[in-house]
Amino acid sequence: MANLGILSRFVGDAHIKVVNVDTEMSFAEVAEACKVHSVGLHVPNQPGKTLRVRRTTDDDSAQHFPATMKVKDANLRHLDCLDVYFV
Amino acid sequence: MAMLDRSEWYDLARSTNWSPRYVGESELFPEALADPYRLPEAAWAAYDEPYKVAYREYVQVQREKDAGVYSVKAALGRSKFYDQAGPEWMGILKLHYGAIPLTEYAACALQGQNARFGRAGSMRNMATFGMLDEMRHSQLQLYFPHELLSRDRQFDWAHEAHHTKNWLIIGGRHCFDDVMMTRDAVTNSIMTSLIFETAFTNLQMVGLAADAENVGDFTFANLITSVQSDEARHAQLGMPLVDMMTRHGKKAEAQRAVDISFWRLWRVFAVLTGIPMDYYIPLEKRHMSFKEFMHEWVIKQFDRQLTDLSLERPWYWQHFLDDIEVHHHIQQGGVWSYRPTMWWNPVAGVGPEERAWLDQKYPGWNASFGHYWDTIIDSLLAGREDLTQQKVFPPICNVCQIPIANRPGPPWKARAHQLDFEGRRYHFCTPVCQWIFECEPERYKRHESLVDMLVFGRFNPPTPDTVLKYMGIGVVSEGGRDSNGYQWIETYRGRHGHGPKGHVSPLADCALTPKGNKRLWVLSRFQGDGHVKTVEIDLDFSMDEFARYCAQFSIGHHAKDQPGKTLRVRRTTAKDDAAPFPREMRFGACEPRQMDSFDVYFADLSDRDREP
């Protein structure tokens, strides 16, 4: 178990945010951790939709991480940038 | 004794030089401090400053200027202007005085370097006057806010800001350390005198001076106009140098100095000036939008200057034009969202009329930045001020030191540009800042932004309070809060359609209030309503009461009633297939969490018989 700082690029939010996550967290939990710092502050919620997480790429086309996958299994580095988006 | 006319002695005096006997030329003028481009002696001998002044004339003119500024101040000191000035204008003054006076003082060192290491006697002469100018500017701009200190302790930042590690101040200081304090006399004259003082001081000193007059602060208008009249003179220090470099095979180096400094200064001054011009100046007093001012006073002039100097527009010109539409708007959101970290009380400036003006000046504002503020407005209307306080930090660009952000809303433009260099990860706001870093990584690579420090474990304990104290908040004075205590939000209460989508406050027309002591904010997703609403629900409500409570915010507003049917409540799911809760069930019994989402929908009366 370890802390990892990631950059949260939350869909629709103007600000990227540094969010600390635990390597034991699932990506569903990572999404929730990022949501806290964007929804209600700079972007509205989208009830009925679920959140997904993927690596940030130039063309926004990376495959999302499975919701149950653990952060420690994703080979993430400190301050990697992740997209968090509704589907 | 009869005085000689200046023209009879000036050329001789300014070109008087000496030949060193005890040290070599390279020791007297080390390349790193004087001229790394090795411009030939003959070129330096021909350096010709465009604006000529003798010491006697200088003192006479400056004395008159000072007398003018101080007499206006004395005359207006008895007026009630500052008693009656709104929080918006006082915010501008605090921002200006915190950011500017000690930058002017730092510029004394820049001019001092030029006065010592400029290789032409005439350049040294001009820089000496520049040094005196900068001293006058810092003294004036410290004296004036000092008088305001008895009204508000936040004015203490005028003297203290540059001695703190406030993140906005670090952004400005990093920029000026780069373009003004840590380069050779040739490069810093191009970067600061040519680019900063001919282009960007106009923003602060001409744009704001006009606004100050409109608002009625003639003391401030007079002060900064007086300052700008000096800038216009010593700004000309850099022009002959670009010409010399172009003539002697160093055009690419001159172009690079121009490109780097223009971008760096733009990023800082868009925040310092763009935000006040487009958000803080009362709407009826605005004479120009920041964008109009940029095009009229900066771009036109800069373009003409580049042509005169045989230089090109910076390679990132389109990035720059795009940034004029976005950068200060999103930093305005950031400044307001991080208001406890600021040394003044930030102004939101997004009432309905202001938004209409912004959308007219910046077409598409409502469709992107409007979404951003809608969310804030909804949270405030719902009594959730806590949601509008940002609790984590954004990554900070490792060049401009400004939080990484971009246009909000559907375009979703926010992006951190990252570079792994010598085992460390660096973050940039734009490809331009990344380019600047890659031009000279040795110059920038060791600096740690405030967020780098957090990540590298430099704060102990790593809490927001530790960071605020590090920034000087609560040390110099308390941090910022909304400038008028959220009164502006009242213009939205009861309005139908404050945003681009006809969005309605969830509690806008609330006539009922929960009766119990234990309440919870949840989301009401009402059938047929395009907007999800935030509602505060009493945990003792039955599900029927929950439904009726939510109905008042949707039926008649955005959803039609369906007589003959009953309302049911279920949890929101991806497929809309959750079973409804029993109608008499106590709301608290479903173990709701803050901001959980619930569907409220119409069902046939017979549905009651099918309850689980």
Side-chain angles (χ1 to χ4, degrees), chain B residues 30 38 56 80 212 249 284 290 364 418 432 448 476 543 588 607:
Chain B
R38 301 181 183 178
R56 182 195 304 275
K80 302 278 186 203
E284 66 281 8
F290 174 65
Q418 296 183 312
V432 189
E448 291 177 3
V476 179
M543 289 297 173
D607 179 61

Side-chain angles (χ1 to χ4, degrees), chain B residues 155-209:
Chain B
F155 279 103
D156 215 9
W157 285 84
H159 205 293
E160 297 290 344
H162 267 248
H163 301 297
T164 72
K165 297 181 178 102
N166 182 279
W167 58 344
L168 194 60
I169 287 296
I170 290 175
R173 206 163 53 208
H174 190 283
C175 170
F176 283 102
D177 279 358
D178 190 9
V179 306
M180 190 167 87
M181 306 295 285
T182 56
R183 296 184 187 261
D184 59 277
V186 175
T187 312
N188 71 26
S189 292
I190 294 172
M191 288 186 160
T192 304
S193 299
L194 178 67
I195 300 304
F196 174 50
E197 289 170 334
T198 53
F200 290 103
T201 57
N202 277 336
L203 276 176
Q204 196 73 2
M205 309 299 184
V206 178
L208 268 187

Side-chain angles (χ1 to χ4, degrees), chain B residues 4 49 116 129 148 155 182 228 273 379 393 459 514 566 598:
Chain B
L4 285 175
E49 75 276 30
R116 164 64 182 83
F129 293 131
L148 299 171
F155 279 103
T182 56
Q228 178 61 7
T273 313
S379 292
F393 285 99
F459 293 112
T566 187
F598 293 88

Side-chain angles (χ1 to χ4, degrees), chain B residues 243-528:
Chain B
D243 188 49
M244 285 160 59
M245 290 177 76
T246 306
R247 287 171 191 274
H248 293 92
K250 299 294 180 188
K251 181 177 173 181
E253 287 83 348
Q255 180 78 52
R256 196 171 82 162
V258 166
D259 292 358
I260 289 173
S261 53
F262 186 81
W263 182 259
R264 293 225 55 181
L265 291 158
W266 151 250
R267 292 291 290 175
V268 170
F269 274 80
V271 175
L272 278 181
T273 313
I275 290 175
M277 286 182 77
D278 282 352
Y279 291 89
Y280 287 22
I281 301 284
L283 194 56
E284 66 281 8
K285 305 290 185 188
R286 290 178 197 168
H287 78 293
M288 249 177 170
S289 71
F290 174 65
K291 175 177 157 186
E292 288 164 342
F293 195 88
M294 280 298 298
H295 282 273
E296 181 67 29
W297 282 86
V298 178
I299 295 177
K300 265 189 193 172
Q301 179 169 316
F302 183 58
D303 243 359
R304 196 166 50 239
Q305 201 168 40
L306 290 175
T307 305
D308 291 347
L309 294 168
S310 305
L311 293 177
E312 313 295 326
R313 283 177 169 176
W315 64 268
Y316 51 73
W317 197 248
Q318 192 55 50
H319 284 285
F320 165 62
L321 294 178
D322 292 344
D323 221 31
I324 293 176
E325 306 282 343
V326 175
H327 175 38
H328 71 294
H329 292 304
I330 197 51
Q331 296 307 330
Q332 154 69 357
V335 163
W336 192 87
S337 296
Y338 287 95
R339 52 201 176 281
T341 70
M342 304 299 158
W343 65 82
W344 70 99
N345 299 326
V347 177
V350 287
E353 288 76 23
E354 283 89 350
R355 285 173 64 145
W357 182 88
L358 285 161
D359 204 53
Q360 182 204 345
K361 299 293 183 183
Y362 300 87
W365 187 97
N366 258 323
S368 57
F369 299 100
H371 283 289
Y372 179 100
W373 286 99
D374 280 344
T375 308
I376 289 170
I377 290 163
D378 283 348
S379 292
L380 289 172
L381 286 172
R384 297 297 309 275
E385 191 266 355
D386 60 306
L387 284 178
T388 71
Q389 301 264 6
Q390 188 71 74
K391 295 172 184 69
V392 291
F393 285 99
I396 294 175
C397 177
N398 283 112
V399 169
C400 72
Q401 307 297 318
I402 292 173
I404 295 172
N406 208 324
R407 187 184 284 278
W412 196 20
K413 295 269 192 177
R415 181 178 296 278
H417 299 261
Q418 296 183 312
L419 174 72
D420 291 321
F421 181 79
E422 295 182 354
R424 181 178 155 191
R425 177 160 288 183
Y426 295 86
H427 313 278
F428 306 101
C429 60
T430 54
V432 189
C433 276
Q434 181 166 346
W435 169 76
I436 292 173
F437 181 92
E438 289 175 320
C439 284
E440 298 173 275
E442 284 299 316
R443 166 173 283 268
Y444 303 108
K445 70 179 186 182
R446 289 175 193 81
H447 184 266
E448 291 177 3
S449 73
L450 190 129
V451 170
D452 290 330
M453 292 177 68
L454 262 176
V455 170
F456 297 158
R458 308 279 192 258
F459 293 112
N460 187 22
T463 61
D465 281 348
T466 311
V467 178
L468 285 176
K469 193 173 176 186
Y470 178 83
M471 288 189 190
I473 301 297
V475 179
V476 179
S477 79
E478 75 280 14
R481 55 191 185 279
D482 180 70
S483 66
N484 74 351
Y486 307 114
Q487 288 301 305
W488 59 276
I489 204 72
E490 295 305 319
T491 58
Y492 287 103
R493 205 177 294 283
R495 284 179 77 98
H496 290 231
H498 65 68
K501 295 185 300 183
H503 192 68
V504 165
S505 154
L507 297 182
D509 297 322
C510 178
L512 304 173
T513 52
K515 304 269 190 300
N517 291 324
K518 293 182 180 174
R519 302 168 197 163
L520 191 72
W521 287 96
V522 296
L523 301 178
S524 160
R525 181 170 172 259
F526 200 93
Q527 185 179 0

Side-chain angles (χ1 to χ4, degrees), chain B residues 112-129:
Chain B
Q113 182 185 357
N114 294 339
R116 164 64 182 83
F117 293 105
R119 298 213 53 191
S122 44
M123 179 180 171
R124 296 196 294 270
N125 190 44
M126 200 170 183
T128 304
F129 293 131

Side-chain angles (χ1 to χ4, degrees), chain B residues 46-178:
Chain B
Y47 180 99
D48 187 28
E49 75 276 30
Y51 192 105
K52 295 174 173 57
V53 64
Y55 184 70
R56 182 195 304 275
E57 295 164 329
Y58 177 83
V59 170
Q60 188 176 354
V61 170
Q62 298 303 92
R63 187 173 55 206
E64 284 167 12
K65 281 189 201 171
D66 263 10
V69 174
Y70 286 110
S71 63
V72 169
K73 179 177 184 301
L76 294 174
R78 292 182 293 279
S79 81
K80 302 278 186 203
F81 177 79
Y82 292 116
D83 293 333
Q84 294 156 359
E88 297 85 1
W89 184 249
M90 295 308 265
I92 289 176
L93 293 183
K94 290 175 192 172
L95 172 56
H96 175 93
Y97 285 131
I100 302 298
L102 291 194
T103 305
E104 304 265 22
Y105 188 60
C108 293
L110 156 84
Q111 298 291 356
Q113 182 185 357
N114 294 339
R116 164 64 182 83
F117 293 105
R119 298 213 53 191
S122 44
M123 179 180 171
R124 296 196 294 270
N125 190 44
M126 200 170 183
T128 304
F129 293 131
M131 188 164 55
L132 296 171
D133 288 341
E134 303 296 5
M135 214 171 287
R136 184 176 92 91
H137 301 170
S138 43
Q139 286 174 343
L140 279 171
Q141 292 177 93
L142 286 175
Y143 179 69
F144 280 50
H146 185 261
E147 296 246 310
L148 299 171
L149 193 52
S150 58
R151 296 169 184 271
D152 190 334
R153 196 185 156 193
Q154 285 183 326
F155 279 103
D156 215 9
W157 285 84
H159 205 293
E160 297 290 344
H162 267 248
H163 301 297
T164 72
K165 297 181 178 102
N166 182 279
W167 58 344
L168 194 60
I169 287 296
I170 290 175
R173 206 163 53 208
H174 190 283
C175 170
F176 283 102
D177 279 358
D178 190 9

